[in-house]
């Protein structure tokens, strides 16, 4: 497939590496320009391009940016054909993104993103730490393979997202339509807890929506106490122990 990826943060870098290694034609862009993209993520043939070039003539666009960047990205996607699948990987952290009234009032993060973009999306790769994603992928069928939830309203978005998740070394579990995607938001038992395909459905079902914001914020406070700021990611083992203790 022809895939355009917007964002070269920790998740975006791994997406570029894994999807290009899987044989896809990958273009990648960030907000600072192609000259700022590190060459190591282009190892398997991905191309560094402008944001406009990244979303042109592709089958799939993957948004690997902070939620706060979605409104700036929306005009880029205005001319992208309706049959292009858009997959969002973002999460809402109000201390980073600023408070968004609609999400605070109960709209799911995915529904808010879809509304800003004016199109259907899938939600994937949001519920795994960047370290686990980079280091713990396994071939399909391997015992203990990590599973992540995928939410989508449309069958095409769902099927494409789940197929690509598999190609990045993870099992994909359909978590429902975007209206149910709160089950994979920060603070939920499925969020960054490195569960398997057999374990994930029960975690999704057990999610208590009202408790998500407080659990999310507790995790951030614990991480900041450990590493000293809100931008440095802890190592995967600590992060998974923490999220399992707080979210499950």
């Amino acid at each position: 497939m022809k895939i355009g990826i917007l964002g070269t943060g920790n998740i975006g870098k791994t997406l570029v590496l894994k999807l290009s290694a899987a044989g896809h034609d990958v273009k990648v862009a960030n907000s600072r320009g192609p000259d700022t993209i590190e060459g190591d993520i282009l190892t398997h043939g991905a191309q560094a391009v402008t944001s406009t070039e990244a979303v042109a003539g592709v089958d799939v666009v993957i948004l690997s940016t902070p939620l706060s960047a979605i409104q700036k990205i929306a005009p880029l996607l205005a001319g992208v054909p309706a049959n292009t699948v858009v997959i969002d990987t973002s999460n809402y952290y109000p201390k980073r993104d600023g408070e968004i009234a609609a999400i605070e009032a109960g709209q799911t993060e995915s529904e808010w993103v879809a509304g800003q973009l004016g199109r259907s999306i899938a939600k994937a790769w949001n519920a795994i730490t960047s370290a686990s994603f980079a280091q713990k992928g396994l071939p399909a069928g391997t015992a203990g393979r990590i599973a992540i939830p995928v939410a989508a309203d449309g069958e095409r978005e769902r099927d494409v997202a789940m197929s690509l998740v598999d190609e990045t070394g993870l099992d994909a579990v359909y978590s429902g339509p975007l209206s149910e995607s709160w089950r994979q938001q920060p603070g939920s038992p499925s969020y960054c807890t490195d569960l398997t395909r057999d374990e994930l459905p029960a975690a999704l079902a057990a999610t208590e929506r009202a408790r998500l914001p407080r659990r999310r914020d507790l995790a951030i406070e614990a991480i900041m106490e450990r590493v000293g700021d809100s931008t440095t990611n802890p190592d995967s083992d600590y992060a998974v122990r923490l999220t399992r203790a707080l979210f499950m």
Side-chain angles (χ1 to χ4, degrees):
M1 302 184 81
K2 295 180 179 179
I3 301 174
I5 298 175
L6 296 181
T8 54
N10 292 325
I11 295 292
K13 289 178 180 179
T14 301
L15 284 167
V16 172
L17 283 167
K18 293 194 173 191
L19 292 175
S20 56
H24 296 288
D25 182 358
V26 176
K27 298 187 290 185
V28 57
N30 62 22
S31 60
R32 301 179 302 280
D35 291 343
T36 68
I37 294 175
E38 297 173 6
D40 60 339
I41 69 170
L42 309 177
T43 302
H44 302 297
Q47 303 173 63
V49 298
T50 66
S51 296
T52 300
E53 292 169 332
V55 303
V58 294
D59 305 302
V60 181
V61 174
I62 302 176
L63 307 179
S64 188
T65 67
L67 194 80
S68 56
I70 294 296
Q71 289 175 315
K72 296 178 182 177
I73 289 170
L76 276 176
L77 298 182
V80 172
N83 64 347
T84 300
V85 172
V86 176
I87 306 173
D88 175 47
T89 73
S90 67
N91 292 297
Y92 174 55
Y93 285 96
K95 290 183 179 180
R96 178 195 65 190
D97 302 315
E99 287 197 0
I100 297 174
I103 296 177
E104 293 290 335
Q107 187 177 34
T108 69
E109 298 167 12
S110 300
E111 288 178 308
W112 182 85
V113 171
Q116 298 305 305
L117 300 180
R119 62 187 300 141
S120 183
I121 66 166
K123 181 74 167 253
W125 294 293
N126 75 297
I128 186 168
T129 67
S130 58
S132 288
F133 185 32
Q135 300 164 11
K136 298 181 181 180
L138 294 169
T142 304
R145 195 186 200 208
I146 294 171
I148 60 170
V150 174
D153 290 339
E155 290 184 4
R156 175 167 163 75
E157 288 84 2
R158 177 198 66 198
D159 292 348
V160 169
M162 292 182 73
S163 176
L164 293 177
V165 165
D166 177 70
E167 292 189 71
T168 60
L170 308 168
D171 283 334
V173 173
Y174 179 57
S175 58
L178 298 184
S179 61
E180 291 289 310
S181 61
W182 52 270
R183 297 182 184 277
Q184 66 195 73
Q185 290 179 184
S188 70
S190 66
Y191 184 78
C192 298
T193 48
D194 285 7
L195 303 179
T196 66
R197 181 195 293 274
D198 291 336
E199 296 168 327
L200 188 54
L204 291 165
T207 307
E208 299 173 80
R209 190 171 187 176
R211 302 180 72 177
L212 300 184
R214 180 57 178 150
R215 289 176 172 180
R216 174 200 66 203
D217 293 346
L218 282 171
I220 290 298
E221 290 173 12
I223 291 169
M224 288 181 66
E225 189 278 333
R226 183 179 180 89
V227 302
D229 61 61
S230 60
T231 59
T232 301
N233 291 329
D235 66 84
S236 178
D237 289 341
Y238 169 76
V240 172
R241 290 198 308 272
L242 175 67
T243 52
R244 286 187 175 190
L246 292 177
F247 301 166
M248 297 183 74

